[in-house]
Amino acid sequence: MKILVTGARGFIGKNLVAELRNRHYDEIMEFDTDTKEELLDSYCKEADFVFHLAGVNRPKEQSEFM
C-alpha cells in the first residue's frame, strides 16, 4: 500500500511515519513545506491512502487559518 503523509516533518507527522515504518509499511511518500510542490500532484495520484496532517501551527494572521 502506498501511503501519503502531508505534514510529514511536523510532530504528529514524523511520529506517524516512524510508526508506519515500525509496522513495515515501506511505500510512504512524505510531503512537507520543503518538498517540491510539483511532487504533490504525482503523490496524490499514486497514493492508496492519505494522512493529511499539514497545517500552520499558531498562525500569526487570520488568513493563514483559511
Side-chain angles (χ1 to χ4, degrees):
M1 176 186 293
K2 292 183 180 182
I3 301 171
L4 168 60
V5 179
T6 64
R9 303 267 189 299
F11 179 76
I12 296 172
K14 68 182 174 188
N15 285 292
L16 173 62
V17 169
E19 182 59 25
L20 290 170
R21 290 191 198 286
N22 284 340
R23 293 177 183 232
H24 306 291
Y25 288 98
D26 296 328
E27 298 184 80
I28 302 169
M29 298 171 283
E30 299 179 43
F31 189 86
D32 210 281
T33 56
D34 59 349
T35 309
K36 291 182 183 179
E37 197 170 319
E38 304 85 48
L39 290 175
L40 183 58
D41 195 39
S42 64
Y43 283 177
C44 288
K45 289 176 184 175
E46 292 179 40
D48 298 310
F49 195 87
V50 177
F51 286 98
H52 179 51
L53 304 173
V56 178
N57 187 20
R58 297 187 183 110
K60 294 180 176 145
E61 299 189 24
Q62 182 72 20
S63 63
E64 291 180 315
F65 278 111
M66 302 313 210

